């Protein structure tokens, strides 16, 4: 056994040196002593030929080692693998093909959870035998602290059932803190690529997770989350959706997920790009998002703890068809939207205390921005271009949007030279000092 460990130590160090530059990762990917000392699952009898059931070999390796190597190979896993708190490293270049509807990597609900874990370089091919609301990595009902998931590939096949890639669930007495999801690739995930939520106490509104939705917000449960440098790719014609289900976001945060930075990600083809349902203190910066429906969907609900979102320097677009909104907000508040390039319709509904400044808006739809039943939304110093020949206004006030909403000092080009900025009956948005351009910039 000693000689085998020394051999795998040498092989791992060599593979890491070769592997890391190819990942396109950041400067934090250098191998640690735990990486180098990782023990291969093949030491415990794993085969990795895609047909032999390697579940028991993985169970034994996880139970006995602090660092586990998954070398090149395709490992069939038919039952969910419990990750003990004593396991700190899962690394390698192998592929795990998981078929259990309960997930691939899970936590023991009676255990102590995760205190420190890095998952590096693994390909997860999650193909549950039935539709699943869990995921390739599904951590629930225990503390999850100091978790890093990096340089991994999560992929679904064209005939895959419904399932997440990564799902982290927090609730009272179980904290999720200091999570880094960096430099991963998510391809054709059939449900959410990344779903992170806080459970509430209402058991009646959803059968999905027994204590969801995230009511009675507690902003101390999920904290310090970084989603950075990931690639999300989706061809929505390559897989089936159960019962016409449309829940297919690249990133979904639900509940008072506190202190999140989503940056430098490339999202292409998912139904939603980023969904915020009750998050607090969120930064969304320097992402490129092209989606089937909303690039950003934001709902804050009635709880006063949520809000305070900064959206800066992103490139956002969605399918330009009627009923599709590149940014869709409902009951949202305290959001700054600055220096973005936004293509499509932005819809603000029951939205308060927005500042939308120094952006570039482009639309081929009937308008660029709708302000409905909202208060204190300031739209200023933007460039707004609409090339729809039947456009009925680049910015429209609707419903009971009052004069606390102000549209001022914007440069506006419309191909149809009338109806630049208008209020529907009942709305009184203030339009002042805007410049109508004869030619587009």
């Amino acid at each position: 056994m000693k000689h085998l460990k020394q051999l795998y130590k040498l092989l791992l160090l060599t593979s890491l040196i070769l592997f890391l530059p190819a990942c396109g990762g950041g400067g934090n990917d250098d191998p640690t002593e735990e990486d180098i000392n990782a023990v291969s699952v093949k030491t415990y009898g794993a085969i990795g030929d895609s047909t032999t059931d390697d579940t028991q070999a993985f169970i034994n390796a996880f139970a006995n080692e602090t660092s586990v190597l998954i070398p090149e190979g395709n490992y069939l896993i038919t039952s969910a693998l419990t990750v003990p708190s004593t396991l700190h490293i899962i690394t390698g270049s192998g592929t795990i093909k998981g078929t259990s509807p309960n997930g691939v990597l899970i936590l023991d609900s009676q255990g102590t959870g995760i205190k420190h874990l890095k998952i590096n370089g693994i390909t997860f091919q999650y193909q549950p035998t039935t539709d699943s609301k869990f995921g390739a990595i599904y951590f629930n009902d225990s503390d999850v602290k100091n978790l890093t998931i990096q340089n991994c590939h999560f992929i679904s096949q064209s005939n895959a059932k419904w399932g997440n890639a990564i799902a982290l669930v927090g609730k009272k007495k179980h904290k999720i803190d200091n999570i880094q999801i960096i430099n991963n690739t998510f391809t054709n995930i059939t449900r959410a690529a990344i779903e992170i939520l806080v459970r509430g106490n209402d058991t009646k509104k959803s059968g999905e997770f027994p204590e969801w939705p995230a009511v009675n917000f507690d902003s101390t449960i999920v904290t310090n989350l970084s989603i950075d440098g990931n690639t999300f790719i989706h061809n929505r014609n390559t897989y089936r959706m159960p019962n016409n289900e449309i829940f297919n976001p690249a990133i979904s945060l639900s509940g008072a997920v506190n202190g999140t930075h989503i940056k430098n990600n490339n999202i292409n083809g998912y139904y939603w790009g980023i969904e915020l349902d009750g998050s607090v203190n969120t930064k969304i910066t320097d992402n490129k998002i092209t989606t089937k429906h909303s690039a950003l969907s934001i709902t804050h609900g009635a709880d006063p703890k949520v809000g305070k979102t900064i959206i800066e320097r992103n490139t956002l677009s969605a399918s330009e068809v009627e009923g599709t909104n590149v940014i869709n907000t409902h009951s949202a508040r305290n959001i700054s939207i600055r220096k973005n390039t936004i293509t499509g319709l932005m819809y603000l509904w029951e939205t308060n205390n927005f500042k939308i400044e120094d952006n570039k808006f482009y639309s081929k739809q009937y308008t660029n921005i709708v302000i409905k039943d909202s208060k204190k939304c300031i739209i200023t110093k933007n460039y707004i271009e609409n090339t729809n020949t039947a456009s009925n206004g680049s910015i429209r006030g609707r419903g009971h949007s009052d004069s606390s909403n102000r549209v001022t000092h914007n440069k506006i080009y419309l191909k149809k030279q009338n109806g630049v900025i208008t209020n529907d009956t009942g709305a009184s948005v203030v339009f002042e000092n805007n410049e109508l351009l004869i030619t587009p910039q």
Side-chain angles (χ1 to χ4, degrees), residues 4 65 137-138 186 214 224 234 289 307 360 397 405 431 436-437:
L4 283 173
E65 305 294 342
I137 297 176
Y138 175 68
F186 301 84
N224 302 316
H234 211 297
I289 305 175
K360 295 180 179 179
N405 301 284
F431 301 102
L436 179 62
L437 302 176

Side-chain angles (χ1 to χ4, degrees), residues 36 51 148-149 159 163 204 218 252 271 341 355 368 399 416:
I36 295 168
T51 57
T148 298
I149 302 170
N159 61 345
K204 298 179 181 179
D218 182 343
S252 175
Y271 194 79
T341 299
K355 187 164 188 182
N368 294 77
K416 180 182 179 181

Side-chain angles (χ1 to χ4, degrees), residues 139-440:
F139 290 164
N140 175 38
D141 283 341
S142 294
D143 286 347
V144 179
K145 297 181 179 180
N146 306 312
L147 169 66
T148 298
I149 302 170
Q150 65 182 30
N151 305 321
C152 294
H153 188 186
F154 298 83
I155 185 169
S156 295
Q157 301 300 307
S158 60
N159 61 345
K161 302 293 185 180
W162 202 40
N164 292 323
I166 298 172
L168 307 179
V169 184
K171 65 177 185 178
K172 286 186 179 298
K173 299 182 181 179
H174 296 303
K175 306 292 186 180
I176 296 177
D177 180 60
N178 192 24
I179 309 299
Q180 297 186 68
I181 303 174
I182 54 178
N183 299 328
N184 303 284
T185 299
F186 301 84
T187 304
N188 291 336
I189 304 304
T190 53
R191 195 173 185 272
I194 299 173
E195 182 175 18
I196 298 173
L197 61 91
V198 178
R199 285 184 174 180
N201 297 322
D202 190 333
T203 61
K204 298 179 181 179
K205 293 185 179 179
S206 175
E208 218 170 276
F209 295 97
E211 296 177 2
W212 194 87
V215 296
N216 302 326
F217 292 97
D218 182 343
S219 59
T220 69
I221 293 177
V222 179
T223 49
N224 302 316
L225 169 66
S226 177
I227 302 175
D228 183 2
N230 302 282
T231 299
F232 302 80
I233 304 168
H234 211 297
N235 181 344
R236 288 182 56 84
N237 296 321
T238 63
Y239 73 95
R240 55 176 285 281
M241 293 295 285
N243 302 319
N244 297 315
E245 176 60 54
I246 63 171
F247 185 71
N248 178 227
I251 301 168
S252 175
L253 308 182
S254 181
V257 180
N258 190 353
T260 298
H261 198 172
I262 301 173
K263 60 182 179 178
N264 302 315
N265 300 285
N266 192 328
I267 300 172
N268 191 343
Y270 281 76
Y271 194 79
W272 291 300
I274 300 172
E275 179 194 36
L276 305 182
D277 185 0
S279 68
V280 59
N281 297 322
T282 303
K283 293 182 180 180
I284 300 173
T285 63
D286 302 292
N287 302 281
K288 184 177 181 180
I289 305 175
T290 302
T291 56
K292 173 75 172 178
H293 207 270
S294 300
L296 300 179
S297 178
I298 304 172
T299 302
H300 283 157
D303 195 281
K305 296 184 181 69
V306 302
K308 301 178 182 177
T309 301
I310 296 173
I311 301 168
E312 289 187 349
R313 300 185 305 275
N314 303 280
T315 300
L316 309 173
S317 62
S319 299
E320 290 214 79
V321 296
E322 298 300 329
T324 294
N325 308 318
V326 61
I327 299 178
N328 186 64
T329 72
H330 182 210
S331 298
R333 59 188 173 277
N334 301 327
I335 293 182
S336 171
I337 301 177
R338 299 182 65 249
K339 298 183 181 300
N340 303 279
T341 299
I342 301 167
T343 302
L345 170 64
M346 182 166 75
Y347 201 96
L348 311 180
W349 179 24
E350 296 180 351
T351 292
N352 301 328
N353 295 307
F354 269 44
K355 187 164 188 182
I356 302 170
E357 180 180 14
D358 197 20
N359 302 280
K360 295 180 179 179
F361 288 93
Y362 301 91
S363 180
K364 297 177 183 178
Q365 295 194 54
Y366 66 93
T367 190
N368 294 77
I369 303 171
V370 172
I371 309 168
K372 180 180 179 182
D373 298 331
S374 299
K375 297 180 182 296
K376 298 181 180 179
C377 292
I378 307 301
I379 301 174
T380 185
K381 300 178 182 178
N382 302 281
Y383 172 71
I384 302 170
E385 178 180 305
N386 191 296
T387 56
N388 188 329
T389 57
S391 172
N392 56 5
S394 60
I395 303 173
R396 297 183 66 84
R398 288 186 173 174
H400 300 288
S401 292
D402 61 24
S403 59
S404 66
N405 301 284
R406 306 183 73 83
V407 180
T408 178
H409 293 95
N410 300 282
K411 293 183 178 182
I412 301 171
Y413 169 79
L414 281 87
K415 193 166 186 177
K416 180 182 179 181
Q417 293 288 313
N418 60 7
V420 178
I421 38 186
T422 58
N423 278 312
D424 292 351
T425 302
S428 54
V429 175
V430 174
F431 301 102
E432 59 185 4
N433 299 316
N434 297 287
E435 180 184 356
L436 179 62
L437 302 176
I438 303 300
T439 58

